[in-house]
Amino acid sequence: MKRRELVSRILIAAAVAGAVGMPLYFWWSTPLVHARLAENGGFRPDVLRAEVGVPLHLRLTSDDVVHGFAVGKMDMQSVDVLPGKVADVTLTFDTPGTYTFYCTRWCGINHWRMRGTIEVSGLESGVGTDTTPAADDVKAPSYVTLGLDIDSPHESPVIPGLRPSAKSGERRAAHLPGSKFLTPDFYRTHSPYQAWRELRNTPSLSNLDDQEIWNLVAFIWRSNTTPVDIAAGGKLFAQNCAACHGGKGAGNGIFAEELAAAGQASMKTMAGAKDMRRQTPANFADAKRMLGASPALLQGKILRGGMGTGMPSWGPVFTQDQSWDLVAFPYSFPFLYQE
Amino acid sequence: MNRIELTRNSLVKRALVNRYPQFALFVAMLFGYIFAIMAGLLSTPVGNSNFSIVFVWVAWWAILILVAVPLFGRGWCAVCPIPLPGEWLQRGATLNPPQRKPRWANRRWPKFLSNIWLQNIFFLLLALFSSVVLTLPKLTSVILAAMLFAAMGLGMVFERRSFCRYLCPVGGFIGIYSQTAPIELRVKDRHVCAACTGKPCYNGSASGYGCPWGVFPPGLSKNTECGLCLECLRTCPYDNIAVNLRPFSADLQKPSARMDEAFKAFIMLGSAMIYAAVLLGPWGEVKNAAYQIGTGTWFFYAAAFLAIIFVVLPLPLALCALRFKNLETFKKRFSTLSTALIPLGLAFWVAFSLSFVLSNGSYVLASLNDPLGLGWDMIGAANIAWRPLLPSFLVPAQTLTLVGGLIWSGRTAQKAASEVDVSPVPPVLYCLAATLVMLWLLI
């Protein structure tokens, strides 16, 4: 073989090897976390590992639509993960445990299924914040300690004629017998209807009409929260709940119809029309539903999720404080907190 | 007709005869081609960010249809990397011919397939599935790889470049549109060829290979089958091959009388119009139908696509050609009249591609910046957002192109009509109507 022919063959071989090998090498040496619609696989990989105190560098890309990335119970700004682009995130964990990362963009009807976990090993560094999962995980949620059946119907048999006013209730607050009604324990463990019934049956309040009692209940509910908490809950609601429940909690978010249709399709051969209804997002503007639910019950639904419904489990995502803020927000629909 | 012989200039001639510049280009193109296949497989599946999609269907397409075909005819075929590995294996050499040739089957291509019908079919298949081919990088990679391996496989069985000449879905339309290009390769004096013994331009010699396209250069009267590989320029012992600059559309002076080429013209014209409607039009249902492959609506779309190309568009010209003397006369008239669609179709494709390419052009920088979708910022273009290029230029350029194409095709129709003794009015009106539809679709 002539020398020139040999050189040309070497050049061709080098070009082919380079064109095949170079992409393979860079692809293999640059691991990415791929985000896809849940029905196409969600996050891949969906289990990551890290060590306490060692920064975890993640490179995220979306393979289809705009997704988001955040880690539950961590004080971090969510990151947008754009199709075909790469977003860099660096996380440092102070506490060992299992953390949940999740999509923060309403990417599709199964958006909430887009989750993964980060297994953090090592010894606690002692510089963690109060929002670390270890602090939360040791405490059972109220619905468990109270033994609440959060799946049973909880409609209020009585509803007020007018939207109860916390301000009007405040004027009658002096009539409240004792201070137990204003404690967080009372607030969290009673539905507004239960509170109303208890107050209604209190002899010292017999001179108040039903609406005035409801106003007192509204006052009690407002007393257990602050405008800042409600605003924080509202923000969480808008980011995570409004896609299904609607911006004003009326159960008419942009995914509501799709959820109902999906539920109808899947339930057709199962338990019938009653179960089908369960696939539709809860309507918090429905006074019967809201006044019959205690904060502990609502928190339970948020943390555990709705079994057999489209309601996801937010336990691994929200801290206790965030979940109480989130619970406080929808009570601002049946109650008039500010006038 | 005036022609300027480019190869009369010794510098040009030496640059074209020398194998090394062409070889360097071949290696670079092959690298790019294989890299595009790998990028399609490994990089992001998001089409507008994937190097494979952006470089094949935006950058390459822009170069091909806006520059290479109108100005250089089969210029792309001269540097196309697809047949190279197969050809190198077939020849047993990458540069000059070896002393001992490898023993491959070296069969002749079947005579009944010695036309461009297979190219028409493969182009139509790509066109029908284009909505997914243009957007799914992995599918693009599979198609690119399949073409590479098909060319290699055919090179082992059949002589010369049978893939390029009879199967390549792109080669077919480049061939018919190359007739309009202002460049040609021709023999200078046919008498010299007649006296030449051994015919090295066809059979090869120590200086070069016999025509890879299976063309005997003295028989060249149009560009369709000449791949501009320049082997004959190297092998001709009498310096009797010339690369000429010539007027546009010179080959259409003598219209083709082949049905496969006539239908290629309809396929290209119809595809440009359908693409304009599907990819650029406001009809969401049509777009959905094109994308939902395998569904009932897609079959309806496919049926409509084929009906437009094989019935709606040819019917008026068929009626012009109809005089029931005999089938051969009809075929000749029909295929001759369809010559007018060659400049018209090219203008349609240029106008359509301007929209397509200018609206997607900004993705080229982004995919160059990060060709493997790994978050690189090689040329600092990571934060450049998508924007349409030259938006104020688009509509005037498209209008000029379509009107220019109409005038060009009108003149071609006149000549073609006189050639087969029919009135030029119906074919000219046909071109006018098609242009008005395309103007409406695009502008």
Side-chain angles (χ1 to χ4, degrees), chain A residues 204-288:
Chain A
S204 62
L205 299 177
S206 58
N207 58 327
L208 299 184
D209 65 23
D210 288 355
Q211 183 63 39
E212 285 173 316
I213 300 285
W214 277 118
N215 292 342
L216 272 175
V217 173
F219 168 69
I220 292 168
W221 253 246
R222 194 187 69 179
S223 302
N224 276 282
T225 184
T226 66
V228 174
D229 292 344
I230 292 175
K235 194 176 168 193
L236 288 171
F237 187 90
Q239 286 169 345
N240 300 288
C241 315
C244 299
H245 294 285
K248 296 192 173 174
N252 59 354
I254 55 165
F255 292 155
E257 282 185 17
E258 262 187 279
L259 271 173
Q264 200 158 359
S266 65
M267 292 292 179
K268 228 167 203 170
T269 54
M270 296 171 73
K274 190 178 169 191
D275 282 335
M276 278 186 240
R277 221 181 54 228
R278 295 172 62 189
Q279 293 287 323
T280 53
N283 175 5
F284 302 125
D286 175 6
K288 272 191 176 179

Side-chain angles (χ1 to χ4, degrees), chain A residues 134-156:
Chain A
D136 268 354
D137 288 347
V138 292
K139 198 173 163 189
S142 301
Y143 83 96
V144 174
T145 54
L146 294 170
L148 294 179
D149 175 8
I150 60 176
D151 296 317
S152 63
H154 53 81
E155 289 190 347
S156 169

Side-chain angles (χ1 to χ4, degrees), chain A residues 90 98 135 266 304:
Chain A
T90 301
T98 301
S266 65
R304 192 209 66 180

Side-chain angles (χ1 to χ4, degrees), chain A residues 4-5 8-9 11-12 15-16 18-20 22-24 26-27 30 32 59 62-64 83-86, chain B residues 20 23 27 30-31 34-35 38 42 44-46 49 88 92-96 366 370 372-376:
Chain A
R4 278 182 294 187
E5 177 67 25
S8 77
R9 290 187 187 193
L11 277 173
I12 292 165
V16 172
V20 174
M22 190 179 67
L24 272 176
F26 286 114
W27 173 75
T30 316
L32 298 176
R59 314 201 77 208
S62 165
D63 290 348
D64 39 40
K85 307 286 177 209
V86 175
Chain B
Y20 296 115
F23 178 77
V27 173
L30 188 64
F31 176 87
I34 296 174
F35 186 85
M38 296 303 291
L42 301 176
T44 174
V46 178
S49 299
W88 288 330
T94 57
L95 293 171
N96 288 311
D370 185 14
L372 293 171
L374 297 173
W376 296 351

Side-chain angles (χ1 to χ4, degrees), chain B residues 70-81:
Chain B
L71 298 182
F72 302 102
R74 277 204 186 268
W76 165 255
C77 299
V79 295
C80 176

Side-chain angles (χ1 to χ4, degrees), chain A residues 16-62:
Chain A
V16 172
V20 174
M22 190 179 67
L24 272 176
Y25 169 75
F26 286 114
W27 173 75
W28 182 79
S29 59
T30 316
L32 298 176
V33 176
H34 291 261
R36 294 174 193 160
L37 289 172
E39 45 271 48
N40 296 328
F43 286 107
R44 285 287 175 272
D46 58 356
V47 179
L48 306 170
R49 295 186 202 289
E51 278 189 51
V52 169
V54 180
L56 172 67
H57 300 290
L58 296 176
R59 314 201 77 208
L60 301 133
T61 187
S62 165

